[in-house]
Amino acid sequence: MSQPTQILLGPDGPTFDGSWKIYLRSLMYTTGKRGIVIENMFVEISKGETSINFPVWVLGEERLVRGGGLFVGEQGAIANHHFLQSRETEKWVFRSGDYRLQVYAQLVGRKSAELLFEAILTISSDQSKELEASNTAIFFDWGTKSRSYLSHIDRRISRGAGSEVEPFLESLLSASKVSKKKL
């Protein structure tokens, strides 16, 4: 998996009920001629001795679908990946500190998941307080000089019931379309 240039940690759904979502865009690749098949993907975030899983994998450009397999051939496969908490997961509060984000893939025919990507993400105490608002997300942008993720909060004003997350997705999709046009 290539280095994601941006990772989003934000609310999942129009009304924030404590469920979080992780978004990233990345190129999946293989060095083998035959390619590989990814059966499932998930994210784990940990801080100290505590961790939370995001086992629900959704992907797509304009139309999001539940991940049900992804073929990665010689040319690779680029996609927007969304990872959601399951309904059974306890509500998680992101306090200040360093978090380890790990992206795993379950490959067809393998018994255990493969670690594809790992990063340390830092949330400041001010950012932690801001994340308590329902329309707030934190973006981690890759800093090429610092070789680390640089974070910033994005708070959008709600445009009515059911629309708090739409601005985040619209900005991500439009950024994706702009980068495609440049290629």
Side-chain angles (χ1 to χ4, degrees), residues 21-68:
K21 145 195 224 159
I22 303 288
Y23 162 85
L24 55 91
R25 181 176 175 81
S26 187
L27 171 72
M28 311 297 285
Y29 63 91
T30 179
T31 56
K33 286 277 188 201
R34 292 184 339 157
I36 58 169
V37 177
I38 296 175
E39 203 168 47
N40 191 29
M41 290 180 67
F42 66 94
V43 167
E44 181 178 78
I45 293 182
S46 58
K47 179 182 182 200
E49 298 296 316
T50 308
S51 66
I52 182 171
N53 285 323
F54 291 75
V56 179
W57 173 43
V58 178
L59 71 155
E61 298 292 322
E62 294 181 25
R63 183 173 165 259
L64 301 178
V65 295
R66 178 77 186 253

Side-chain angles (χ1 to χ4, degrees), residues 70-101:
L70 177 66
F71 176 73
V72 181
E74 276 187 279
Q75 307 302 316
I78 192 162
N80 294 329
H81 300 276
H82 302 256
F83 300 96
L84 313 173
Q85 289 179 262
S86 70
R87 294 182 191 263
E88 292 80 34
T89 305
E90 290 183 33
K91 302 307 178 214
W92 184 273
V93 177
F94 283 93
R95 305 278 183 223
S96 62
D98 292 336
Y99 291 83
R100 179 179 310 279
L101 177 133

